[in-house]
């Protein structure tokens, strides 16, 4: 673009006009701005080539200013207080004629008519995002927290309602909860709509802001910013949904940071929403069949600059799971991803380029340059790599299982404790939102039942299904029961690999609790579910779908004389379990606090898993011997 090219700006309130002016200058334009008394930030004058302050309604003067400056292209940016617009406007003759000719004064019709009036005088209206496409919301999940099941239903319901309301050209914002509309935006604006709707529910409102189907995005782009988040906070609203590519997010990094700090979710959705899936009808917890739409927006890829004093980190082994570890470290401000290590140099180099770090093929090259590492290699390599780092004074997060043998696990625990290093084990279900929602309700469980079923996958076949899958549930059960196992029975068989692919275990604890666990890696479907029975309560954690339920026996009896049962779907704070696990690890390193799953707990899970594996192996050999007779 030619230096000195002119463009006009019709500036309302807020920061948008200033951002537009700065971006236009960077693009080589001189900006001639017209602002309005009581609306426009006067600081705009120092950011533009020329600034004129008018009163609302001086349309003829506005056009003369642009003609005199030689302006043939303008943009409209910023808001006008609608209450003031109708109460304080003093139209000149040209504005009066324009208003008198309107069949209605709805936002979109009014702005289109203004644009038409300007174009009659040879002034073309450009999109307000002409120089600022980066302000438009990218599609996907912007925050750490994900939508839980109830919020997914509310978002899909509210989106359709917001679009239907948009056809009426009333407003861009809707507030919903439990698939009921709490507030619709009127002349009072988005913030007041959030307050009205939020006050009608105790907490957890979902705020949806979309473009209207007939909206002209040249000059009326929906916008949110820090003030939106602060307003939501005052009424404990939990979710903000905007339309991807059609909504401005001012100060996006600060907005996302504030939302993360307050435990909110921000999702930018396309229209129609993508990432939706209707599950096949299946028996639910109440025994009835239903098909339910789910919404799982993908996180927007983010690489954040490390904050001062961030821990220097690396990932050893960047195959399928290790890549996720590296992406999480790159996303976290409290970590500086120094490098990734893999025996495949090309794989390490590709990921390092994408995440802005160094690539290595030998983990020993990182000694002295990292504070903490994730070890995400095949199980047989866990011990040697973790030992090297612990001996060098580096904190270690090891994927489960901790090691392949009990002796190796004991040595790592001994070494970590002697060196004062954090040794955390990657039992991810402890960070699953469903488990975290259920855990506070667990009191002296009497019977636990877990099913962990998965289709066949070639990853992890170096160990049996006990060390591959069931060890997750062994860790969870040991954590909840908090009593030694006194006896167990186990059975399992190899089907598609040389090691057991399916197994069932019954554990009996010293305190009388019993657990029945089933694991299969040759199933036709995915299932990860835990049921807990205790006095007066039955709890369910659906790890796969991140939902949790409580069934409570009430003191009152029903008409038939049986106890009343109250069923409640627990509120799930849906966050990425792996990111939460890594955050927890870094927090332990930084503060010296005990990790959620320490080395000793990982060692006890290995001890029990190996004992189960040995019993199953002995049983298989015994059966094979009998078959040979």
């Amino acid at each position: 673009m030619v230096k000195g090219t002119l463009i006009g700006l019709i500036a309302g309130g807020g920061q948008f006009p200033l951002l537009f002016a700065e971006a236009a200058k960077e693009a080589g334009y001189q900006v001639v701005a017209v602002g309005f008394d009581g609306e426009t930030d006067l600081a705009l004058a120092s950011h533009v080539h020329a600034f004129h302050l008018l009163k609302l309604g001086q349309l003829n003067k506005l056009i003369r200013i642009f003609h005199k400056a030689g302006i043939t292209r303008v943009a409209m940016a910023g808001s006008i207080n609608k209450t003031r617009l109708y109460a304080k406007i003093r139209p000149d003759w040209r504005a009066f004629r324009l208003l008198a000719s309107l069949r209605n004064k709805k936002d979109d019709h009014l702005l289109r008519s203004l644009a038409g009036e300007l174009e009659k005088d040879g002034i073309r209206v450009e999109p307000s995002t002409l120089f600022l496409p980066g302000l438009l919301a990218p599609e996907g999940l912007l925050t750490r927290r994900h939508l839980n099941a109830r919020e997914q239903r509310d978002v899909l319901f509210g989106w359709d309602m917001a679009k239907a309301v948009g056809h009426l050209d009333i407003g861009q914002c809707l507030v919903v909860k439990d698939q009921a509309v709490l507030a619709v935006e009127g002349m009072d604006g988005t913030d007041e709509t959030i307050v009205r709707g939020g006050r009608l529910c105790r907490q957890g409102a979902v705020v949806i802001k979309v473009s209207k189907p007939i909206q002209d995005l040249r000059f009326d782009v929906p916008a949110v910013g820090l003030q939106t988040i602060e307003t939501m906070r005052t009424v404990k609203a939990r979710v903000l949904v905007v339309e991807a590519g059609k909504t401005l997010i001012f100060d996006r990094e600060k907005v996302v940071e504030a939302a993360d700090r307050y435990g909110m979710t921000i999702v930018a959705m396309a229209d129609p929403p993508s990432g939706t899936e209707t599950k096949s009808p299946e028996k639910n917890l109440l025994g009835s069949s239903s098909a339910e739409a789910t919404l799982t927006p993908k996180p927007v890829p983010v690489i954040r600059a490390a904050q001062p004093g961030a821990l220097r980190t690396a990932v050893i082994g960047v195959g399928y799971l290790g890549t996720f570890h590296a992406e999480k470290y790159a996303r976290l401000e409290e970590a500086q991803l120094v490098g990734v290590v893999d025996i495949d140099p090309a794989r390490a180099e590709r990921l390092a380029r994408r995440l802005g770090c160094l690539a290595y093929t030998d983990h020993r090259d990182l000694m002295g340059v990292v504070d903490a590492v994730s070890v995400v290699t095949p199980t047989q390599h866990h011990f040697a790599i973790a030992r090297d780092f612990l001996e060098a004074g580096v904190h270690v997060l090891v994927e489960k299982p901790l090691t392949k043998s009990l002796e190796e696990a004991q040595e790592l625990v001994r070494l970590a404790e002697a060196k004062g290093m954090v040794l955390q084990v990657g039992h991810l279900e402890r960070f699953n939102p469903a488990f975290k929602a259920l855990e506070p309700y667990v009191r002296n469980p009497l019977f636990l039942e877990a099913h962990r079923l998965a289709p066949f996958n070639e990853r992890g076949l170096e160990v049996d299904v006990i060390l591959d899958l069931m060890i997750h549930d062994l860790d969870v059960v040991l954590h909840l029961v908090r009593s030694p196992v006194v006896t167990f029975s186990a059975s399992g068989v190899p089907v598609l690999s040389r090691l057991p692919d399916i197994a069932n275990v019954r554990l009996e604890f010293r305190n009388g609790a019993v657990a029945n666990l089933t694991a299969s890696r040759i199933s036709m479907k995915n299932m990860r579910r835990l049921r807990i029975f205790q006095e007066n309560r039955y709890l369910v954690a659906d790890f796969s779908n991140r939902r949790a339920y409580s069934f409570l026996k009430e003191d009152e009896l029903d008409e038939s004389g049986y106890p009343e049962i109250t069923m409640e779907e627990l509120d799930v704070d849906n966050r990425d379990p792996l990111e939460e696990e890594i955050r927890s690890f870094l927090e332990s390193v930084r503060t010296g606090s005990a990790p959620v799953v320490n080395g000793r707990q990982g060692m006890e899970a290995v001890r029990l898993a190996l004992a189960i594996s040995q019993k199953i192996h002995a049983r298989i050999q015994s059966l094979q011997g009998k078959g040979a007779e």
Side-chain angles (χ1 to χ4, degrees):
M1 294 183 182
V2 180
K3 182 73 174 176
T5 303
L6 293 171
I7 192 162
L9 172 61
I10 301 174
Q15 66 186 117
F16 192 17
L18 283 82
L19 294 173
F20 180 94
E22 285 300 313
K25 280 201 298 183
E26 288 180 12
Y29 282 81
Q30 291 182 325
V31 179
V32 176
V34 171
F36 300 99
D37 187 26
E39 297 286 343
T40 308
D41 187 344
L42 298 182
L44 178 62
S46 62
H47 295 261
V48 296
H49 177 67
F51 178 71
H52 304 269
L53 190 67
L54 305 182
K55 295 187 180 301
L56 287 171
Q58 292 184 298
L59 177 58
N60 199 46
K61 189 172 183 179
L62 179 147
I63 292 174
R64 287 205 312 269
I65 288 170
F66 285 143
H67 276 164
K68 187 175 181 181
I71 299 295
T72 59
R73 301 166 65 202
V74 301
M76 303 182 195
S79 59
I80 299 293
N81 184 296
K82 293 179 183 177
T83 304
R84 190 178 294 130
L85 176 65
Y86 287 99
K88 297 292 183 77
I89 188 170
R90 297 292 183 269
D92 61 19
W93 180 244
R94 187 163 187 172
F96 179 81
R97 282 190 305 164
L98 174 65
L99 292 171
S101 68
L102 299 178
R103 67 176 185 271
N104 64 64
K105 294 184 176 65
K106 293 179 180 179
D107 291 354
D108 200 71
H109 187 65
L110 179 61
L111 291 169
R112 283 179 189 272
S113 298
L114 175 58
E117 197 71 14
L118 292 171
E119 288 171 356
K120 285 180 186 176
D121 276 77
I123 301 172
R124 187 171 80 246
V125 178
E126 299 284 359
S128 58
T129 57
L130 180 64
F131 306 112
L132 294 163
L135 287 182
L136 293 170
E139 184 178 1
L141 176 72
L142 303 181
T143 50
R144 288 171 52 200
R145 186 181 181 277
H146 296 235
L147 298 169
N148 64 28
R150 177 188 63 78
E151 292 160 349
Q152 290 177 35
R153 294 191 295 270
D154 280 347
V155 169
L156 291 172
F157 165 79
W159 186 272
D160 290 341
M161 296 298 293
K163 285 296 182 179
V165 169
H167 277 289
L168 302 175
D169 196 11
I170 295 174
Q172 302 166 334
C173 181
L174 202 72
V175 182
V176 302
K177 185 179 178 182
D178 292 330
Q179 296 174 278
V181 176
L182 302 177
V184 178
E185 183 180 4
M187 190 180 292
D188 51 355
T190 297
D191 286 349
E192 287 301 318
T193 305
I194 293 171
V195 171
R196 283 191 286 112
R199 285 176 177 168
L200 291 175
C201 65
R202 185 175 57 184
Q203 60 182 11
V206 173
V207 177
I208 299 173
K209 191 173 177 74
V210 300
S211 67
K212 293 171 283 190
I214 58 173
Q215 197 153 354
D216 192 327
L217 294 174
R218 288 178 300 167
F219 37 69
D220 189 18
V221 185
V224 297
L226 271 173
Q227 182 58 48
T228 312
I229 300 301
E230 293 298 335
T231 302
M232 289 176 61
R233 184 191 181 198
T234 63
V235 292
K236 299 181 180 179
R238 187 66 66 81
V239 176
L240 173 62
V241 180
V242 298
E243 188 163 356
K246 295 183 179 181
T247 306
L248 297 166
I249 303 182
F250 298 123
D251 297 316
R252 188 196 306 170
E253 286 191 10
K254 292 180 179 178
V255 166
V256 172
E257 180 184 332
D260 281 338
R261 188 166 62 251
Y262 300 147
M264 296 178 186
T265 302
I266 303 177
V267 175
M269 290 170 44
D271 185 36
S274 60
T276 58
E277 175 186 356
T278 301
K279 294 189 174 181
S280 300
E282 60 179 27
K283 293 289 183 182
N284 61 28
L285 290 171
L286 298 179
S288 61
S289 297
S290 63
E292 184 175 276
T294 61
L295 176 67
T296 53
K298 294 181 179 179
V300 174
V302 175
I303 300 176
R304 291 194 171 99
Q307 63 189 18
L311 293 168
R312 300 169 300 168
T313 61
V315 178
I316 320 304
V318 288
Y320 177 77
L321 184 55
T323 295
F324 293 135
H325 274 253
E327 289 172 345
K328 304 308 178 189
Y329 282 117
R331 179 184 175 91
L332 299 177
E333 293 178 344
E334 57 264 47
Q336 177 190 354
L337 183 63
V338 172
V340 294
V341 182
D342 202 273
I343 58 173
D344 182 342
R347 180 161 59 190
E349 187 60 44
R350 282 194 304 271
L351 185 60
R353 271 199 309 271
R354 179 159 67 85
L355 300 182
C357 64
L358 298 176
Y360 300 86
T361 55
D362 190 331
H363 69 276
R364 289 166 291 194
D365 293 337
L366 287 165
M367 302 305 176
V369 296
V370 292
D371 304 305
V373 298
S374 280
V375 178
V376 201
T377 60
T379 306
Q380 62 265 31
H381 302 302
H382 285 185
F383 173 71
I385 295 171
R387 178 196 59 198
D388 288 348
F389 280 111
L390 291 171
E391 287 179 340
V394 177
H395 305 278
V396 178
L397 166 59
V398 186
E399 263 303 329
K400 63 83 200 164
L402 175 56
T403 55
K404 200 170 183 180
S405 74
L406 180 58
E407 293 73 24
E408 288 178 342
Q410 290 170 329
E411 175 58 19
L412 289 185
V413 170
R414 184 202 64 77
L415 186 56
E417 292 177 351
K419 291 280 189 176
M421 295 290 104
V422 172
L423 175 60
Q424 180 169 320
V425 186
H427 286 288
L428 197 59
E429 298 295 31
R430 297 274 205 101
F431 297 89
N432 189 293
F435 179 73
K436 295 187 79 170
L438 170 146
E439 188 178 13
Y441 297 89
V442 178
R443 299 284 188 276
N444 301 316
L446 301 173
F447 183 80
L448 304 92
E449 185 174 40
H451 286 85
R452 186 168 295 268
L453 314 178
F456 184 73
N457 191 310
E458 293 182 358
R459 291 191 304 272
L461 296 184
E462 73 276 4
V463 295
D464 61 24
V465 73
I466 313 301
L467 286 163
D468 184 20
L469 297 182
M470 187 181 284
I471 196 167
H472 282 295
D473 298 310
L474 294 174
D475 170 71
V476 166
V477 167
L478 289 172
H479 171 66
L480 293 177
V481 176
R482 300 178 187 270
S483 179
V485 175
V486 292
T487 186
F488 68 87
S489 59
S491 60
V493 292
V495 178
L496 298 179
S497 72
R498 61 183 180 83
L499 298 171
D501 296 309
I502 185 169
N504 176 262
V505 177
R506 176 183 171 89
L507 305 171
E508 297 185 22
F509 296 85
R510 182 180 295 168
N511 66 0
V514 174
N516 190 48
L517 313 180
T518 299
S520 169
R521 57 187 182 190
I522 53 170
S523 176
M524 296 296 292
K525 64 177 181 179
N526 276 303
M527 176 188 286
R528 292 150 48 212
R529 185 172 291 174
L530 173 67
R531 296 178 176 88
I532 301 171
F533 298 84
Q534 61 192 41
E535 188 176 4
N536 296 328
R537 193 186 291 269
Y538 159 45
L539 296 161
V540 181
D542 184 343
F543 294 120
S544 297
N545 296 309
R546 299 184 186 178
R547 300 175 76 167
Y549 306 85
S550 168
F551 296 80
L552 179 66
K553 185 181 79 171
E554 302 288 358
D555 294 333
E556 296 84 3
L557 303 180
D558 62 19
E559 294 178 354
S560 62
Y562 289 100
E564 290 277 4
I565 303 294
T566 302
M567 183 271 189
E568 175 188 8
E569 180 166 359
L570 302 178
D571 187 30
V572 171
D573 188 13
N574 194 5
R575 297 171 187 263
D576 184 308
L578 181 57
E579 186 171 315
E580 294 305 300
E581 178 183 68
I582 291 174
R583 278 184 181 275
S584 176
F585 171 56
L586 295 174
E587 180 70 12
S588 293
V589 172
R590 190 168 48 249
T591 65
S593 58
V596 172
V597 187
N598 61 39
R600 286 194 172 275
Q601 292 170 313
M603 179 182 70
E604 291 306 318
V606 168
R607 185 196 305 275
L608 182 55
L610 290 174
I612 292 169
S613 293
Q614 289 164 6
K615 179 168 281 194
I616 290 175
H617 180 69
R619 188 171 186 272
I620 291 173
Q621 285 189 321
S622 174
L623 291 173
Q624 288 173 342
K626 290 179 180 179
E629 291 177 357

